[in-house]
């Protein structure tokens, strides 16, 4: 649709965007094209509005539930939440679960409008300003940011829906609604072509702005590594069984190379895995911590300080500054038993009986039956565990000391791409030309977790999948990983927790594994979302996904 006569606010101030607090454009009203063409900051605000469409998952989409609670990662403790429609039979074209279709096409429309109407401006009235050259340097990069964002939105769409209408120019509603669905192959090719086209021209870092330099550690704006990361992740998805049913080996080879290209480019910029796994996900610090910034390639900062995520996920039954915890997204035994003994990531991700968590809780967690934080308390953990990853344990959610903090969603980080590369290589029959083995890639990630190396024989595809499960837990990957593998029936049907009993004053029974949910999975349709019926009705050439 044409985005005319609407309010375009610089949402960075209240919603998104830059992890260095530098994307701080003022609000403005867009009345017509000429208004946009007068000032540099108005074009900047337009780009910022696109960034505000980027995805994150702090319980904002399903009233506290994360997508993890539609997978074998977690169970949302409050029954009746909308997340249950993914597995209880209520999912349908009229209950399509989410607004991503609308959000992404809004972002795409902004990008198309910018590229068609507001690119190649010169802002002649400001040529004598002292900061003109620096402003123009950043402005000239906006076109590449817009193309990256458009390609990223198409990745979100193809990952979720398969082939979708491909709109690459500004058009009115009638034109847009009459576009047919492009194939998934065509969407993936568009993403790859765009990334190749801009990877060498987009800014490498935002210190390269003269007097307007943002920060060499800027992670909230796309740079060349973000472009390479998008290309690499999209290539992995394109090669996966869901989108590559004939196991075309050329797709696996291209994906392996794309992920290796990202790894090599990152290493050339001195990127490495952080020694502090937990710190990668702490929004108070990860946007400025030197260790985290050597691993985080691109992140989406929610600039409005909040404690909603902590309220959703703090344990029930706490008192004082922790009162009001709602239980939230409780890790499953399916996840916990995938960790090997001594894996340092477990304690950074999962809170268990006896742990001191969070800071406001002055007593060890009691997740045993009858304990302060366990069943049968309302909304207590059904699995025996509470979530720690991404949750800020220093938050106080009640009382005079109640506080709030920023949260940062990590979109791309280096560890993912070692695992992506390993998966590609393990699916590739001819590995000639690739000097790093799958085992070496997996072991790079395992080393930080304090685990022993896998041999080449031990570095199987199943081992790689297990490594993804624990390394990338609660980062939004599992929901789509299992779908692109077409293994929902294997992983998503039977969900387990543990039950613990108190046997003495300070003694407890061994955790007893129990099934807490049996979920519906329909392999014939659930790997892709239904296109919202409202979109089908208004679009003449838009067809529905099979089974929906």
């Amino acid at each position: 649709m044409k985005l005319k006569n609407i309010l375009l606010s610089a949402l960075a101030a209240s919603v998104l965007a830059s992890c260095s607090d530098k994307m701080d454009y003022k609000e403005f009203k867009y009345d017509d094209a000429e208004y946009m063409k007068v000032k540099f900051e108005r074009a900047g605000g337009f780009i910022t509005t696109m960034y505000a469409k980027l995805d994150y998952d702090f319980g904002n989409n399903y009233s506290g539930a994360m997508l993890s609670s539609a997978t074998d990662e977690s169970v949302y403790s409050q029954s009746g939440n909308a997340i249950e429609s993914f597995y209880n039979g209520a999912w349908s074209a009229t209950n399509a679960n989410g607004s991503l279709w609308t959000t992404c096409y809004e972002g795409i429309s902004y990008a198309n409008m910018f590229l068609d109407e507001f690119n190649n401006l010169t802002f002649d009235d400001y040529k004598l300003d002292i900061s003109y050259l620096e402003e123009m340097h950043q402005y000239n990069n906006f076109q590449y940011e817009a193309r990256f964002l458009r390609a990223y939105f198409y990745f979100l769409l193809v990952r979720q829906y398969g082939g979708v209408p491909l709109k690459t120019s500004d058009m009115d509603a009638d034109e847009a609604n009459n576009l047919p669905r492009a194939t998934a192959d065509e969407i993936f090719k568009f993403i790859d072509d765009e990334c190749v086209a801009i990877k060498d021209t987009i800014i490498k870092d935002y210190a390269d702005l003269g007097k307007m330099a943002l920060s060499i550690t800027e992670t909230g704006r796309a740079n060349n590594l973000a472009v390479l990361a998008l290309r690499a992740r999209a290539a992995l998805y394109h090669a996966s069984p869901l989108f590559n049913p004939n196991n075309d080996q050329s797709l696996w080879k291209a994906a392996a190379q794309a992920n290796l290209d990202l790894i090599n480019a990152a290493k050339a910029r001195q990127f490495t895995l952080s020694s502090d796994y937990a710190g990668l996900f702490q929004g108070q610090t990860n946007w400025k911590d030197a260790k985290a910034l050597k691993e985080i390639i691109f992140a989406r900062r929610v600039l409005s300080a909040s404690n909603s995520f902590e309220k959703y996920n703090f344990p029930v039954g706490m008192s004082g500054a922790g009162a009001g915890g709602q239980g939230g997204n409780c890790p499953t035994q399916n996840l916990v038993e995938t960790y090997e003994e001594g894996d340092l990531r477990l304690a950074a991700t999962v809170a268990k009986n006896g742990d001191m968590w969070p800071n406001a809780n002055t007593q060890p967690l009691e997740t045993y039956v009858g304990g302060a934080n366990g069943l049968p308390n309302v909304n207590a953990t059904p699995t025996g565990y509470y979530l720690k990853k991404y949750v800020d344990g220093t938050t106080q959610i009640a009382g005079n000391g109640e506080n709030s903090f920023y949260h940062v969603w990590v979109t791309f980080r280096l560890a993912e791409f070692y695992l992506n590369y390993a998966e590609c290589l393990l699916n590739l029959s001819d590995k000639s030309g690739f000097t790093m083995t799958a085992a070496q890639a997996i072991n790079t990630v395992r080393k930080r977790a304090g685990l022993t190396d896998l041999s080449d024989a031990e570095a199987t595809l199943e081992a790689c999948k297990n490594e993804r499960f624990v390394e990338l837990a609660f980062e939004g990957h599992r929901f789509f990983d299992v779908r692109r593998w077409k293994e929902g029936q294997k992983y998503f049907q039977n969900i387990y927790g543990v039950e613990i009993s108190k046997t003495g004053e300070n003694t407890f029974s061994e955790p007893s594994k129990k099934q807490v949910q049996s979920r519906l999975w329909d392999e014939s349709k659930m790997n892709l979302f239904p296109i919202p019926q409202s979109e089908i009705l208004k679009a003449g050439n838009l067809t529905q996904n099979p089974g929906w």
Side-chain angles (χ1 to χ4, degrees):
M1 65 177 181
K2 286 276 188 178
L3 300 177
K4 302 295 186 185
N5 299 316
I6 59 176
L7 180 66
L8 293 179
S9 61
L11 298 175
S14 60
V15 183
L16 165 67
S18 165
C19 287
S20 67
D21 282 337
K22 298 293 185 180
M23 253 162 84
D24 187 20
Y25 300 100
K26 296 180 175 65
E27 290 193 359
F28 60 91
K29 185 176 180 181
Y30 167 45
D31 292 308
D32 54 44
E34 292 308 310
Y35 180 90
M36 284 293 298
K37 295 175 182 178
V38 172
K39 282 191 174 183
F40 162 85
E41 67 178 13
R42 294 171 184 167
F46 207 92
I47 296 296
T48 303
T49 303
M50 295 179 216
Y51 278 101
K53 303 295 181 183
L54 291 173
D55 58 316
Y56 65 99
D57 188 8
F58 290 123
N60 47 294
N61 295 314
Y62 299 99
S63 302
M66 303 169 73
L67 271 184
S68 63
S69 290
T71 77
D72 53 351
E73 285 179 311
S74 64
V75 175
Y76 197 62
S77 66
Q78 299 182 41
S79 62
N81 185 277
I83 202 72
E84 296 173 9
S85 62
F86 280 109
Y87 55 79
N88 68 4
W91 197 11
S92 69
T94 56
N95 181 30
N97 279 341
S99 58
L100 184 134
W101 181 281
T102 300
T103 300
C104 285
Y105 274 112
E106 285 176 353
I108 290 165
S109 293
Y110 280 117
N112 287 336
M113 178 177 284
F114 180 87
L115 293 168
D116 287 357
E117 298 191 26
F118 307 123
N119 198 14
N120 300 317
L121 304 179
T122 57
F123 306 106
D124 291 345
D125 289 346
Y126 293 87
K127 282 186 175 180
L128 297 180
D129 282 10
I130 192 170
S131 60
Y132 176 78
L133 292 178
E134 287 83 4
E135 288 180 337
M136 287 303 300
H137 185 41
Q138 184 173 7
Y139 167 76
N140 289 330
N141 189 65
F142 286 162
Q143 60 184 302
Y144 307 120
E145 292 182 72
R147 291 176 71 176
F148 164 82
L149 290 166
R150 182 176 62 180
Y152 183 80
F153 292 133
Y154 273 117
F155 169 72
L156 295 182
L157 288 166
V158 72
R159 178 179 71 170
Q160 188 154 306
Y161 300 104
V164 295
L166 182 58
K167 185 172 68 166
T168 59
S169 63
D170 190 30
M171 56 182 61
D172 63 30
D174 288 339
E175 292 174 306
N177 288 336
N178 280 302
L179 286 174
R181 291 181 70 171
T183 66
D185 287 341
E186 289 169 335
I187 300 298
F188 280 118
K189 184 179 187 303
F190 173 78
I191 294 167
D192 192 72
D193 288 348
E194 284 292 278
C195 290
V196 169
I198 67 175
K199 66 183 177 65
D200 296 323
T201 47
I202 194 170
I203 283 178
K204 289 187 176 181
D205 67 63
Y206 285 84
D208 186 25
L209 290 173
K211 296 176 182 178
M212 285 185 63
L214 300 184
S215 168
I216 198 168
T217 55
E218 169 70 41
T219 58
R221 283 189 178 276
N223 61 12
N224 71 317
L225 290 183
V227 172
L228 292 175
L230 173 59
R231 186 186 186 210
R233 185 188 287 177
L236 170 69
Y237 272 74
H238 193 193
S240 298
L242 179 61
F243 299 107
N244 183 19
N246 297 320
N247 196 29
D248 182 342
Q249 288 286 289
S250 69
L251 294 181
W252 285 115
K253 185 173 183 179
Q257 188 62 57
N259 280 277
L260 185 60
D261 288 346
L262 179 278
I263 292 168
N264 288 339
K267 288 167 67 175
R269 296 264 294 276
Q270 286 78 51
F271 274 64
T272 187
L273 300 196
S274 170
S275 59
D276 180 11
Y277 178 82
L280 288 168
F281 312 103
Q282 292 303 303
Q284 288 192 63
T285 56
N286 64 357
W287 57 278
K288 60 183 178 180
D289 177 72
K291 298 186 296 296
L293 289 170
K294 286 301 182 183
E295 179 167 350
I296 296 174
I297 294 169
F298 185 65
R300 204 274 200 208
R301 188 176 186 191
V302 184
L303 283 182
S304 180
S306 170
N307 61 16
S308 295
F309 188 63
E310 284 67 35
K311 287 180 178 178
Y312 288 144
N313 291 287
F314 272 7
V316 301
M318 298 194 303
S319 59
Q326 299 171 28
N329 301 276
C330 300
T332 63
Q333 183 63 14
N334 307 54
L335 172 63
V336 170
E337 65 188 23
T338 307
Y339 290 88
E340 297 176 29
E341 185 175 352
D343 192 327
L344 301 176
R345 294 169 294 194
L346 177 60
T349 305
V350 178
K352 65 183 186 308
N353 187 62
D355 286 355
M356 295 299 299
W357 172 260
N359 293 17
N361 194 18
T362 59
Q363 300 296 322
L365 279 178
E366 299 178 354
T367 65
Y368 57 84
V369 176
N373 318 109
L375 295 172
N377 291 308
V378 175
N379 297 329
T381 171
T383 66
Y385 305 107
Y386 286 103
L387 178 63
K388 290 177 71 175
K389 190 170 179 178
Y390 269 126
V391 181
D392 192 323
T394 68
T395 306
Q396 296 188 31
I397 62 173
N400 293 332
E402 183 175 350
N403 53 17
S404 299
F405 300 107
Y406 296 129
H407 294 77
V408 177
W409 185 256
V410 179
T411 305
F412 297 129
R413 63 184 179 91
L414 184 56
E416 174 199 338
F417 298 94
Y418 280 103
L419 298 178
N420 290 0
Y421 172 81
E423 183 182 336
C424 293
L425 219 60
L426 289 165
N427 279 285
L428 194 58
S429 55
D430 180 6
K431 300 174 177 59
S432 58
F434 294 99
T435 56
M436 181 168 60
T437 67
Q440 288 171 329
I442 295 171
N443 290 336
T444 300
V445 177
R446 288 171 60 86
K447 182 178 181 180
R448 172 174 56 196
L451 300 177
T452 58
D453 284 352
L454 299 179
S455 66
D456 286 339
E458 292 170 325
T460 62
L461 187 56
E462 191 63 26
C464 184
K465 290 177 179 178
N466 286 345
E467 204 63 38
R468 288 186 73 88
F469 195 13
V470 296
E471 172 69 24
L472 304 175
F474 299 99
E475 295 180 51
H477 291 274
R478 184 70 172 176
F479 184 94
F480 294 102
D481 276 350
V482 170
R483 284 173 162 79
R484 65 180 177 85
W485 298 330
K486 300 182 71 173
E487 293 184 335
Q489 196 157 346
K490 176 179 179 180
Y491 292 113
F492 285 174
Q493 288 195 297
N494 299 312
I495 309 300
Y496 296 93
V498 293
E499 185 173 283
I500 304 170
S501 300
K502 189 171 186 178
T503 57
E505 185 175 347
N506 291 304
T507 59
F508 306 91
S509 66
E510 286 294 316
S512 174
K513 185 176 179 178
K514 64 173 184 176
Q515 186 167 350
V516 296
Q517 285 184 348
S518 178
R519 295 176 174 175
L520 173 69
W521 179 263
D522 186 342
E523 184 66 31
S524 69
K525 63 180 183 179
M526 285 187 170
N527 288 316
L528 294 174
F529 278 50
I531 294 174
Q533 187 64 22
S534 58
E535 299 297 330
I536 298 288
L537 292 174
K538 69 185 181 184
N541 293 317
L542 189 58
T543 56
Q544 185 56 271
N545 275 329
W548 295 107

